[in-house]
Amino acid sequence: MADVSLSAISKSFGATQAVRGMDLSIADGEFVVLLGPTGAGKTTTLRLIAGLEKPDSGRIAINGEDVTTLDPASRDVAFVFQQYSLYPHLSVYDNLAFPLKSPARRLTPNEIDARVREVAKLVRIDHKLQNRSTKLSGGEMQRVAIGRALVRQPSIYLMDEPLSSLDAKLRADLRLELKRIQNDIGATMLYVTHDQIEAMTMADRIGILAEGRLVQVGTPREIYETPVDIHVANRLGQPRINILPPGLLPCPSIPAGTAQIGARTEHLAISVPANGETANARIDWIEHLGDHNYLHLVCGDRKLVSLVEPSLGLNSGMAVRVELADPLFFAADGARIATNATGSTGRNA
Amino acid sequence: MSANTAHSVVEPSATTKRVATVLVVLYAVITMIPLAWIFSTSFKSPPDSISYPPKILFEPTLEGYCNLFTSRSRQTQEYLDSLPPPQGVCEEIARERQMVVVSPSKFWPRFLNSLVIAFGSTFLAVFLGVLSAYGFSRFKVPLADDLLFFILSTRMMPPIAVAIPIYLMYRELGLTDTALGMILLYTAVNVSLAVWLLKGFIDEIPREYEEAALIDGYTRMQAFFKVVLPQATTGIAATAIFCLIFAWNEYAFAVLLTSGSAQTAPPFIPTIIGEGGLDWPAVGAGTTIFLVPILVFTVLLRRHLLRGITFGAVRK
């Protein structure tokens, strides 16, 4: 395992600037997740680290050694692709053994065999070693793909949305498994996804990407609670953060320069109006998710979504009172305005 | 799809299938008649082969094959009587016709020439084709489209248009009537087909496989042999068959450029007719043997061929 650092990396394809001046360092044994929409430059970043693309400018170092101009084979990284991850003409066993059989590594057949069986157990595919790789289910294929990365002990594991083609249940299972494996072997991992749940649950640190730029890096908690701007705030939280104009809902104190207010579920205090209070919103409808309800509110000409306990006894059509409690404030350019309440000290917290 | 899904929109009905089967069988039978006729002629005696009305049932003989493989000379009865008893089937048949076997004919060396030239040029065309197709498919080649069009354009001209320049060129280079010359010529003709066919197949192989291999510690060349080639077998097989059929059957250049030691079977077989009268059984025997290699090759690769022809039509 090793640390990896990118400094001022840029890469463009024709007129499209895929990555712009990216700085990122990943510590030894750290699990970093890059989160961003399609086209934000996540995959390009991985491919640059792997050596499948050469940066236009900037420097990539693995374990302190400059690898910017090295070819993929000399970088000692492992890559899990989103799809097409297994060699279709090889069995599961041969797929797992393939990286070990490389002429660059000199291992005896016994060493290879032992390593393959060990990893097959780790990713729980040891009962299907002789199967053809095309005869596996989606989850099994992806486990083999992850296994193929694990048979080596590379300096860093690069994973490009490895779970995105799987169904929800499998994704949840493999998410846990992947985190378990990463913990067990203390691997350095850079993981790319557009799924915020994967990012929140697995990452030591999350990097938010937008249009090729790394907008914010921090622990999941930091990113969630103190996003640098409205874009980052939008990436995290289910249901999505409500963006409201100031003055729509009562709020104790609004800092100067606030152009928009971001309110997540925990920032909305919803109550049935008591004596002397006036209702300022109406319940449009309620989505029942079982353990939780999505509450769709109409407030003036705005729509709000919040999560509520089913036990509150709210019905659609009811008039309710909504107040803001320590929401996020954003300036006109989208940057968040720090307040004492959110415990942050500046824009780049 | 199982047989009881009778009302499926895509699955043809039982009647349609039956009609289709009958039509296909009928077509196959009609196509097979000339081949069957050649095959039966090869086992006829010369009088049977030209009898009218044609004989469907006849007494099979190996005379055609003997005539194909041997040169014979007519002798007087006295001389024949003075010889020891005949050795082997062909000698026996020759004696009945008042002849003795003088030497083996040139058919076998000509057939070997065909094998060497056709398989040699097929191997070269596919080998060069797969390398350049990979290059065009994976790398940024300057003027790639123009180059590909140029490669294709070499196929647009009828071969006879370049026959004389090639003949003159080959005479200067000393390549006329050499196996090397024929291999180079057929390779040059086939390589355009090979590049175009194989580029289509290689384009369909996702790059991720090679990239995975590169990251796994293989060089580009090793990745090509270990990952790309095994997945391109279907395309390679289909291309090889097309190239082989062309090189095996080619007649015009073979007549023009070979006459002696490098002559292939196609120009040789018609010369049988001139030698000892209209020896149709020998022609039939030559043609039958000529058909065997391509038949074996196609049968061996038929699974790939079928997949190759329907390639791209069905996507997963």
Side-chain angles (χ1 to χ4, degrees), chain A residues 47 50 52 72-73 77 79 81 84 86-89 98-99 101-105 148 152, chain B residues 206 208-219 222-223 226-228 230-231 315-316:
Chain A
R47 293 172 62 87
L52 293 172
V77 301
F79 203 118
F81 291 88
Y84 302 125
L86 301 183
Y87 304 117
H89 59 289
F98 192 80
K101 286 182 179 164
S102 148
R105 268 165 275 283
R148 207 179 59 199
R152 304 198 273 124
Chain B
E208 277 89 342
Y209 294 129
E210 286 146 83
E211 293 181 339
L214 290 181
I215 291 171
D216 283 343
Y218 291 81
T219 63
Q222 290 160 343
K226 294 229 170 209
V227 177
V228 179
Q231 292 183 65
R315 297 302 302 268
K316 273 181 268 179

Side-chain angles (χ1 to χ4, degrees), chain A residues 70-109:
Chain A
L70 291 186
D71 56 21
S74 333
R75 294 194 183 196
D76 193 26
V77 301
F79 203 118
V80 178
F81 291 88
Q82 184 173 357
Q83 50 180 155
Y84 302 125
S85 34
L86 301 183
Y87 304 117
H89 59 289
L90 299 178
S91 68
V92 170
Y93 184 96
D94 287 331
N95 260 286
L96 289 173
F98 192 80
L100 301 176
K101 286 182 179 164
S102 148
R105 268 165 275 283
R106 299 188 181 278
L107 293 173
T108 65

Side-chain angles (χ1 to χ4, degrees), chain B residues 130-150:
Chain B
V130 79
L131 288 182
S132 39
Y134 181 75
F136 278 118
S137 175
R138 294 296 196 258
F139 300 111
K140 267 190 201 144
V141 181
L143 300 174
D145 288 345
D146 302 289
L147 280 173
L148 279 169
F149 180 76
F150 167 72

Side-chain angles (χ1 to χ4, degrees), chain B residues 32-307:
Chain B
M32 291 301 286
I33 286 174
L35 290 174
W37 195 253
I38 289 169
F39 185 72
S40 74
T41 301
S42 75
F43 288 102
K44 284 177 180 172
S45 64
D48 279 350
S49 72
I50 52 169
S51 74
Y52 188 84
K55 285 192 177 175
I56 305 289
L57 294 172
F58 56 91
E59 198 182 319
T61 156
L62 286 174
E63 192 171 347
Y65 289 89
C66 286
N67 289 357
L68 178 68
F69 281 104
T70 59
S71 293
R72 300 153 310 279
S73 69
R74 193 166 292 279
Q75 300 293 342
T76 58
Q77 190 61 46
E78 295 80 50
Y79 176 72
L80 289 175
D81 288 342
S82 70
L83 290 175
Q87 298 277 314
V89 188
C90 289
E91 187 72 45
E92 223 166 279
I93 292 170
R95 294 280 174 89
E96 281 169 29
R97 305 272 176 213
Q98 302 254 303
M99 292 194 278
V100 290
V101 172
V102 182
S103 64
S105 78
K106 285 178 182 162
F107 178 74
W108 189 237
R110 300 302 185 248
F111 186 77
L112 283 181
N113 280 342
S114 262
L115 283 176
V116 168
I117 291 168
F119 279 90
S121 70
T122 299
F123 174 80
L124 265 183
V126 172
F127 178 75
L128 295 173
V130 79
L131 288 182
S132 39
Y134 181 75
F136 278 118
S137 175
R138 294 296 196 258
F139 300 111
K140 267 190 201 144
V141 181
L143 300 174
D145 288 345
D146 302 289
L147 280 173
L148 279 169
F149 180 76
F150 167 72
I151 289 170
L152 186 67
S153 71
T154 60
R155 245 192 131 71
M156 294 175 182
M157 224 178 320
I160 208 69
V162 290
I164 291 170
I166 285 179
Y167 178 77
L168 294 174
M169 205 163 72
Y170 267 41
R171 207 180 49 187
E172 287 302 310
L173 293 170
L175 284 173
T176 39
D177 205 19
T178 61
L180 176 68
M182 296 312 287
I183 289 176
L184 289 178
L185 183 66
Y186 291 165
T187 305
V189 175
N190 271 333
V191 85
S192 62
L193 176 80
V195 170
W196 272 81
L197 273 179
L198 286 165
K199 183 175 176 295
F201 285 101
I202 291 175
D203 281 344
E204 297 278 329
I205 301 171
R207 285 157 175 260
E208 277 89 342
Y209 294 129
E210 286 146 83
E211 293 181 339
L214 290 181
I215 291 171
D216 283 343
Y218 291 81
T219 63
R220 166 89 46 190
M221 202 58 150
Q222 290 160 343
F224 173 74
F225 282 110
K226 294 229 170 209
V227 177
V228 179
L229 275 194
Q231 292 183 65
T233 43
T234 296
I236 291 171
T239 310
I241 288 178
F242 287 128
C243 290
L244 184 73
I245 288 174
F246 169 82
W248 188 253
N249 291 341
E250 207 284 328
Y251 180 76
F253 280 117
V255 165
L256 187 72
L257 296 174
T258 68
S259 49
S261 61
Q263 192 181 43
T264 55
F268 175 77
I269 291 172
T271 64
I272 299 166
I273 297 172
E275 273 178 12
L278 295 176
D279 195 350
W280 292 115
V283 173
T287 313
T288 304
I289 293 174
F290 184 68
L291 287 172
V292 171
I294 219 104
L295 192 74
V296 170
F297 194 68
T298 313
V299 167
L300 284 179
L301 299 183
R302 69 185 184 287
R303 204 163 42 90
H304 292 298
L305 190 63
L306 194 64
R307 264 194 62 204

Side-chain angles (χ1 to χ4, degrees), chain B residues 4-51:
Chain B
N4 53 17
T5 53
H7 298 292
S8 160
V9 187
V10 283
E11 188 80 348
S13 73
T15 326
T16 316
K17 275 187 184 169
R18 240 171 270 139
V19 171
T21 311
V22 168
L23 286 176
V24 167
V25 168
L26 206 65
Y27 177 75
V29 167
I30 293 170
T31 327
M32 291 301 286
I33 286 174
L35 290 174
W37 195 253
I38 289 169
F39 185 72
S40 74
T41 301
S42 75
F43 288 102
K44 284 177 180 172
S45 64
D48 279 350
S49 72
I50 52 169
S51 74

